[in-house]
Amino acid sequence: MIAISEITKSYGNGDGKTQVLKGITMQINEGDFVVVLGASGSGKSTFLNVISGLERPDSGSVTYGSLEITKLSDSKLTRFRKDNIGFIFQQYYLLQNMTVEKNVRMGAELADNGDYREIITAVGLEDKSKKYPSELSGGEQQRVSVARALAKKPKVLFLDEPTGALDEETGRQVLDYICKLHKEYGFTIVMVTHNQNIAEMANTVVKMNSGKISEISVNKVRKTAYEIGW
Amino acid sequence: MVVGMKDALKLIGISIIACCAVFVCTLFLNYNIDITAMKNEITAAGGVEMYNAIVSTGKVVAAVSGGCLAVTSVIMLMFYVKNYIDTHGKELGILKALGYSDFKIAKHFWVFGLSVFVGCALGYAAAFLYLPSFYELQNAEHLFPEIKVQFHPFLAFLLVVVPAISFAALAVIYACFRLKTPVLDLLKEKREYKAKLSKKETKDMPFLKELTRSTVRGIKSLVFFIAFSAFCFSDMVQMSMSMKDLSSETMAIMIMMIGLILAFMTLFLSLSSVVKANTKTIAMMRVFGYQHSDCSKAVLGGYRPVSYIGFAVGTAYQYFLLRIMVDIVFADVENVPEYNFDFTACAISLVLFIITYELFMYIYSQRIKKLSIKSVMLE
Ligand SMILES: Nc1ncnc2c1ncn2[C@@H]1O[C@H](COP(=O)(O)OP(=O)(O)OP(=O)(O)O)[C@@H](O)[C@H]1O
Ligand SMILES: [Mg+2]
């Protein structure tokens, strides 16, 4: 379980100081599928970066089980990410000078995962594994980044607008792969998006409004990637 | 304007190299011209042999150092142009997409010639300030009549104007050549990754090893610069230590200074480029949980063998150069001390080299540590 307590975060100083997170408290259960919704600039990405240990909050705490990650040193925090966290970003951030296979291997080696080829197959890229990212379409690149994140067998997967740069069809396809793998491996998902429809795929929907949580709801019925609107 | 004065400022490495090259060449060539004019007045015993030796030394030194430095500046210039086009692919691609011709964009790259001009002019001026003492130094044994420093406009033209114009032209031509890339590849910032080996070989290579390999292979000119930096260090420092006996102390100090400036300049520039070219990779690795030491090792470690090779080549090079000087150029001159390979000098410079090199690596690995993950992702 991830316990998030009273986190605040601001950028800049003096007159230019803006408070982005204004005291956020919530809990995320193991295996849950959480979608964070909110307008642009409401602090979703910042929230995601703080709870995943990429950034430190100004105050408040984030605790995984009994481990308070906000208290860890930099190298311990890195180690924590290595053992627990996977990331998928809107811009993919693949390593341009390496093939698909090597990109996935970057994740796999952190978990001593020898079966990374299985995951390349699972996202339907086995025939592209020798290609470089610049030779792939956006959807294919995002699938590489899904494979890279899952190859390290994360306990929690964080996604920041994973379909933001994709069209409807490839967007659904990527979400479908993510859902399937979620069922299979049972990790926790926290996904940030401003597409309201995607929220229907989640268990828990968190709405953010200028740095605060305005509503948390639970979906009784979950839709698949091909049932939601776009 | 595509390329501004600010970009030309970034070529300070080339300016410094040009400055050193012109400095050395001006000293020796100016002296050679002036002493050649006085050839008939040399009467002292042993004077003619000394004259011949000094004139040949001047030619050799000017040709070797000038040539080496010119080649380095050419490679460095091409590196800058290529790097500029690679990193500004989007802007340049859009200009091309709008219909600007390659040449129309490339011609702005002439400003890079300015950096060469500034370097050459400074080198020339510095040499002129130093020439009187240099003339005295060359004639320490008073074998020649007193020579006055003369200004030779042709030499100034050759060492300042010609390099500046040729480098400006080279920058434009090379930029034109580089811009021939299709618009879409520029926009996608698609670089060439030709470094693919046979698939069998890389297939089972661990990621970190592969990263080291592809970093080193990715930008070939950086390999040259890092090797060159080690080469300069080993070559010039050892030569300077051995030269103390063969020639004057001032010469030894001058050579040492030029060697150190060149070595540090190129190492500094190359390592900054390595880190810059890999910031995104490093940031992503940190996000995924690779420790900072793994990132530094993977990104910087591959250059260590390169620099040791550079050091070894530099050692051999300076030995043969001095050997030739002593055996051929100074063959007829009396009282030239015996020259043998100087093991102490070699050992001392190797130790100094290892210390400075590792210090540089440490500084840059700290720099990698300070890279903020978020700032890279916001770009
Ligand atoms: N490093 C930073 N320095 C200064 N301000 C920042 C920084 N990062 C984010 N901000 C500011 O914090 C606010 C929230 O940013 P954040 O990226 O969390 O929003 P978001 O909800 O993810 O928006 P979007 O949907 O557009 O991605 C914004 O107003 C942004 O300008
Ligand atoms: Mg965002």
Side-chain angles (χ1 to χ4, degrees):
Chain A
M1 193 179 72
I2 311 171
I4 300 152
S5 162
E6 286 301 323
I7 48 174
T8 65
K9 174 91 189 166
S10 37
Y11 289 113
N13 39 33
D15 287 344
K17 187 163 172 164
T18 45
Q19 186 156 19
V20 181
L21 300 181
K22 301 171 180 165
I24 292 186
T25 302
M26 71 171 287
Q27 290 187 351
I28 296 170
N29 294 323
E30 226 157 90
D32 204 355
F33 186 152
V34 180
V35 162
V36 181
L37 284 175
S40 185
S42 55
K44 304 182 296 291
S45 298
T46 310
F47 177 59
L48 197 79
N49 292 342
V50 168
I51 62 174
S52 59
L54 280 185
E55 272 188 282
R56 289 176 190 283
D58 297 340
S59 68
S61 69
V62 179
T63 312
Y64 283 70
S66 57
L67 181 69
E68 190 176 338
I69 64 159
T70 30
K71 283 214 177 107
L72 295 177
S73 69
D74 273 347
S75 74
K76 287 220 173 90
L77 194 59
T78 308
R79 166 153 232 129
F80 165 80
R81 286 202 302 272
K82 171 184 166 219
D83 295 336
N84 299 286
I85 310 290
F87 290 95
I88 294 169
F89 300 98
Q90 176 175 351
Q91 298 92 331
Y92 328 131
Y93 295 120
L94 298 176
L95 308 185
Q96 295 294 321
N97 54 354
M98 299 221 182
T99 57
V100 167
E101 182 173 329
K102 281 285 140 66
N103 266 286
V104 175
R105 205 162 166 160
M106 167 189 168
E109 271 171 29
L110 283 169
D112 286 324
N113 178 0
D115 297 334
Y116 60 90
R117 287 201 186 85
E118 213 169 82
I119 293 176
I120 299 182
T121 312
V123 295
L125 286 173
E126 65 274 33
D127 52 337
K128 304 252 154 120
S129 68
K130 292 282 179 282
K131 293 230 186 272
Y132 286 86
S134 59
E135 300 169 316
L136 300 180
S137 74
E140 286 163 345
Q141 291 190 56
Q142 192 59 301
R143 270 144 63 196
V144 178
S145 112
V146 170
R148 177 178 68 176
L150 294 182
K152 78 193 280 288
K153 299 192 168 156
K155 300 191 176 70
V156 188
L157 180 64
F158 290 97
L159 306 100
D160 194 347
E161 305 272 8
T163 57
L166 305 177
D167 65 14
E168 179 176 339
E169 196 183 320
T170 40
R172 285 184 196 274
Q173 203 180 27
V174 166
L175 288 178
D176 192 46
Y177 279 120
I178 293 169
C179 271
K180 269 193 203 143
L181 293 162
H182 176 226
K183 273 199 197 108
E184 194 176 332
Y185 296 99
F187 45 80
T188 309
I189 290 186
V190 182
M191 186 192 304
V192 160
T193 177
H194 52 235
N195 185 340
Q196 306 253 356
N197 295 314
I198 294 178
E200 295 175 16
M201 295 173 62
N203 282 326
T204 310
V205 181
V206 177
K207 289 204 174 126
M208 276 187 73
N209 195 351
S210 50
K212 282 190 186 146
I213 293 180
S214 57
E215 188 192 332
I216 298 183
S217 56
V218 177
N219 284 335
K220 293 199 183 77
V221 189
R222 289 173 55 191
K223 292 188 178 171
T224 70
Y226 291 102
E227 289 165 357
I228 58 172
W230 197 266
Chain B
M1 200 170 184
V2 183
V3 194
M5 295 290 167
K6 244 189 177 166
D7 298 302
L9 276 182
K10 290 197 189 126
L11 272 68
I12 185 153
I14 294 185
S15 304
I16 291 178
I17 293 181
C19 179
C20 291
V22 171
F23 180 78
V24 174
C25 290
T26 309
L27 286 187
F28 284 94
L29 294 180
N30 216 66
Y31 183 75
N32 269 13
I33 295 174
D34 286 345
I35 195 176
T36 316
M38 310 204 71
K39 188 176 177 186
N40 298 330
E41 293 170 39
I42 298 170
T43 49
V48 177
E49 288 80 8
M50 193 65 188
Y51 165 84
N52 285 333
I54 277 196
V55 170
S56 333
T57 318
K59 282 185 196 155
V60 171
V61 173
V64 169
S65 56
C68 265
L69 297 177
V71 170
T72 317
S73 331
V74 168
I75 297 180
M76 217 179 231
L77 181 81
M78 306 216 302
F79 171 73
Y80 270 112
V81 172
K82 180 177 175 312
N83 201 36
Y84 187 91
I85 293 177
D86 280 349
T87 50
H88 294 72
K90 290 220 167 80
E91 296 128 68
L92 298 175
I94 286 168
L95 285 180
K96 263 187 85 161
L98 288 177
Y100 281 82
S101 71
D102 291 347
F103 181 71
K104 223 173 185 169
I105 303 173
K107 72 177 185 207
H108 294 287
F109 280 83
W110 75 269
V111 287
F112 284 3
L114 274 187
S115 335
V116 176
F117 178 77
V118 170
C120 290
L122 284 179
Y124 194 82
F128 244 77
L129 290 179
Y130 182 64
L131 269 177
S133 340
F134 183 73
Y135 277 31
E136 263 173 41
L137 196 77
Q138 288 286 63
N139 195 11
E141 290 162 43
H142 298 287
L143 292 174
F144 317 132
E146 196 159 309
I147 309 167
K148 265 210 237 88
V149 177
Q150 307 260 337
F151 175 72
H152 302 287
F154 177 69
L155 194 63
F157 178 75
L158 197 71
L159 290 178
V160 181
V161 182
V162 172
I165 293 178
S166 352
F167 272 82
L170 180 71
V172 172
I173 294 169
Y174 188 65
C176 215
F177 169 72
R178 275 278 146 200
L179 284 167
K180 290 229 180 312
T181 327
V183 176
L184 277 180
D185 289 354
L186 277 175
L187 285 174
K188 268 174 131 179
E189 302 198 344
K190 182 173 171 180
R191 310 218 179 95
E192 302 156 57
Y193 297 112
K194 286 184 186 157
K196 304 174 207 171
L197 265 195
S198 69
K199 279 174 190 153
K200 209 172 157 196
E201 205 172 322
T202 68
K203 203 171 168 188
D204 287 316
M205 194 181 271
F207 166 74
L208 285 175
K209 244 194 186 154
E210 168 90 19
L211 177 63
T212 308
R213 217 185 56 134
S214 74
T215 309
V216 173
R217 284 165 181 246
I219 315 177
K220 296 237 171 47
S221 34
L222 287 180
V223 175
F224 171 82
F225 289 135
I226 288 178
F228 177 75
S229 153
F231 172 89
C232 284
F233 190 98
S234 107
D235 174 25
M236 307 267 206
V237 170
Q238 289 185 62
M239 188 156 9
S240 139
M241 287 199 228
S242 316
M243 286 268 272
K244 249 189 9 228
D245 310 328
L246 296 173
S247 171
S248 68
E249 205 148 296
T250 332
M251 281 281 272
I253 291 176
M254 211 168 75
I255 289 189
M256 171 97 77
M257 290 301 289
I258 292 181
L260 292 181
I261 290 178
L262 272 180
F264 289 151
M265 237 11 253
T266 35
L267 191 59
F268 167 73
L269 286 173
S270 332
L271 291 182
S272 308
S273 311
V274 171
V275 172
K276 214 169 152 199
N278 288 292
T279 35
K280 278 204 182 120
T281 305
I282 295 166
M284 240 340 89
M285 287 172 69
R286 299 298 307 277
V287 165
F288 269 68
Y290 280 93
Q291 288 292 346
H292 141 254
S293 55
D294 287 335
C295 303
S296 311
K297 230 194 279 164
V299 168
L300 297 174
Y303 293 103
R304 194 168 278 119
V306 172
S307 70
Y308 287 117
I309 292 172
F311 187 91
V313 175
T315 306
Y317 176 81
Q318 63 91 28
Y319 173 74
F320 286 114
L321 199 66
L322 286 181
R323 191 77 278 159
I324 289 169
M325 293 265 265
V326 171
D327 290 354
I328 300 173
V329 180
F330 283 95
D332 302 332
V333 182
E334 284 165 36
N335 295 332
V336 173
E338 183 81 4
Y339 173 69
N340 285 311
F341 185 77
D342 192 341
F343 282 100
T344 348
C346 182
I348 294 176
S349 51
L350 181 61
V351 171
L352 286 179
F353 174 72
I354 294 176
I355 293 173
T356 37
Y357 185 81
E358 295 303 332
L359 191 70
F360 260 87
M361 286 300 186
Y362 177 74
I363 293 171
Y364 276 89
S365 88
Q366 287 309 104
R367 221 190 232 201
I368 287 178
K369 192 174 184 174
K370 292 216 184 75
L371 281 181
S372 135
I373 296 174
K374 184 142 190 222
S375 70
V376 175
M377 295 195 319
L378 278 181
E379 263 179 17

